[in-house]
């Protein structure tokens, strides 16, 4: 294990982002390889913390496969609304990104989602526009290309079921009247237009930050964040219709996770709950070779060197360390799984050899 900051990593960890006098914080790296071979990552920055009226969607770039990274550039900054980038998709003739703006006073109640395309590997972008064919308040997660060429992107959105005019930053994300539901977007024209499918919601809780993977042709498994265990649903027609939401047995520290197909294996990168504690203190890679019915390998990825205190909870000032919010892609040519890891205001890149996941 290799030590960096307040954590140890199972693989060499390269620094992607450090705060400076201008960009004083960063969250939620979104990592992709562009057509010219460079790596880019959206970062959620601007202002002193998240959330903040000055939040922007910035980009950092590496021209040497992740060894060094540029300072953030800001392609999208709304004059009066906070901005947050969640997806860059490159496996299509015209790569695109997706980002959201929101009213800081009401948080995600007043979300507006935009798509922008690039023809020069992300150095310039088209004027943002709403995603054609879907509501304007969906938060787009990692898009995947299915076996038939369809693009499928898990999404979630906040539904206002009362208290429609409230200004409530204390609640931050949700109350019993502002709950998240999940579904997917599908595109059959290389990302020019999309359609919304699925409506997954539970009483008394949130279903959000979903991730999906194609297990077999047209058979999609989607997991959703929901407290201390992930929820799941399946589709057998490429994401058009879905089974009812059920519990999974996968522990989750109420945080983001990602799932990828590596050759014929499914790899889940997830904050497990050490000793039953819902803490973002340990990332593991779980590998399945039987369509996620079981997880044959459970490999370490990153772990804090000291655990948060017993009263540690979410705060805009991030007083305690985390290893969380993994994001990346599987590179079949290089046979490496690239992962960006958020250590609260600092990001690290690790490269996991396929051989470790296919053993």
């Amino acid at each position: 294990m290799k030590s960096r900051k307040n954590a140890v990593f199972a693989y060499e960890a390269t620094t992607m982002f450090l705060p400076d006098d201008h960009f004083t914080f960063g969250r939620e790296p979104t990592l992709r390889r562009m057509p010219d071979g460079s790596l880019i990552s959206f970062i959620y920055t601007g202002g002193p913390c998240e959330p903040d009226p000055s939040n922007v969607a910035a980009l950092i770039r590496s021209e040497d496969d992740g060894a060094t990274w540029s300072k953030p550039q800001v392609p999208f900054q709304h004059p009066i609304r906070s901005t947050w980038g969640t997806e860059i998709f490159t496996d299509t003739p015209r790569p695109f990104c997706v980002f959201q703006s929101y009213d800081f006073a009401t948080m995600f109640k007043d979300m507006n989602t935009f798509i922008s395309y690039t023809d020069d590997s992300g150095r310039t972008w088209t004027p943002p526009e709403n995603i054609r064919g879907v509501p304007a308040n969906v938060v787009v997660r990692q898009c995947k290309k299915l076996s038939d060429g369809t693009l499928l992107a898990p999404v979630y959105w906040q539904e206002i079921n009362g208290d429609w005019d409230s200004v409530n930053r204390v609640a931050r994300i949700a109350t019993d009247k502002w709950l998240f539901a999940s579904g997917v977007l599908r595109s059959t024209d290389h990302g020019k237009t999309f359609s919304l499918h699925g409506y997954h919601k539970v009483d008394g809780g949130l279903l959000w930050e979903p991730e999906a993977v194609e297990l077999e042709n047209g058979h999609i498994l989607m997991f959703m964040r929901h407290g201390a265990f992930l929820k799941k649903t399946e589709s057998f027609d490429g994401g058009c219709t879905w089974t009812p939401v059920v519990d999974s047995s996968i522990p989750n520290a109420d945080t983001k996770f990602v799932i990828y197909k590596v050759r014929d294996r499914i790899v889940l990168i997830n904050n497990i709950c050490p000793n039953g504690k819902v803490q973002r203190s340990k990332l593991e890679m779980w590998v399945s070779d039987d369509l996620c019915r079981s997880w044959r390998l459970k490999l370490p990825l990153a772990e804090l060197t000291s655990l948060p205190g017993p009263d540690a909870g979410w705060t805009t000032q991030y007083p305690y360390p985390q290893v969380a919010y993994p994001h990346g892609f599987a590179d079949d040519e290089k046979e490496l799984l690239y992962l960006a890891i958020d250590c609260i205001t600092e990001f690290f890149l690790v490269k996991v050899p396929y051989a470790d996941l296919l053993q």
Side-chain angles (χ1 to χ4, degrees), residues 184-206:
V184 298
L185 302 184
R186 297 179 80 254
S187 175
T188 57
D189 57 9
H190 306 294
K192 296 177 183 176
T193 62
F194 289 84
S195 55
L196 178 63
H197 302 264
Y199 176 50
H200 310 301
K201 190 175 179 181
V202 293
D203 293 333
L206 309 179

Side-chain angles (χ1 to χ4, degrees), residues 104-264:
F104 175 71
T106 57
M107 288 301 293
F108 301 144
K109 286 175 62 180
D110 297 298
M111 184 78 71
N112 201 351
T113 303
F114 297 93
I115 192 169
S116 175
Y117 301 86
T118 181
D119 298 304
D120 57 7
S121 291
R123 289 169 175 80
T124 61
W125 298 86
T126 62
E129 57 187 47
N130 290 136
I131 301 175
R132 296 175 186 176
V134 302
N137 69 327
V138 295
V139 180
V140 179
R141 295 284 289 141
Q142 291 198 88
C143 189
K144 306 286 177 69
K145 179 177 282 188
L146 304 184
S147 55
D148 67 354
T150 297
L151 303 186
L152 183 137
V155 297
Y156 63 101
W157 62 93
Q158 192 163 47
E159 293 189 337
I160 300 171
N161 304 122
D163 198 17
W164 70 275
D165 58 349
S166 176
V167 176
N168 190 343
R169 285 196 299 273
V170 175
R172 187 180 71 95
I173 285 180
T175 71
D176 59 350
K177 296 182 175 63
W178 312 344
L179 294 179
F180 285 120
S182 288
V184 298
L185 302 184
R186 297 179 80 254
S187 175
T188 57
D189 57 9
H190 306 294
K192 296 177 183 176
T193 62
F194 289 84
S195 55
L196 178 63
H197 302 264
Y199 176 50
H200 310 301
K201 190 175 179 181
V202 293
D203 293 333
L206 309 179
L207 281 182
W208 60 319
E209 297 183 338
E211 286 286 320
V213 65
E214 186 177 31
L215 301 179
E216 300 174 299
N217 292 354
H219 179 192
I220 315 298
L221 175 63
M222 185 162 75
F223 291 109
M224 293 154 283
R225 174 179 171 184
H226 180 78
F229 288 88
L230 299 179
K231 296 281 192 179
K232 66 179 182 179
T233 178
E234 293 181 85
S235 173
F236 296 90
D237 55 10
C240 293
T241 61
W242 294 84
T243 62
V245 172
V246 296
D247 296 334
S248 84
S249 59
I250 299 173
N252 173 259
D254 197 15
T255 186
K256 284 186 178 179
F257 57 95
V258 288
I259 189 166
Y260 302 103
K261 181 171 278 188
V262 174
R263 302 301 187 205
D264 60 345

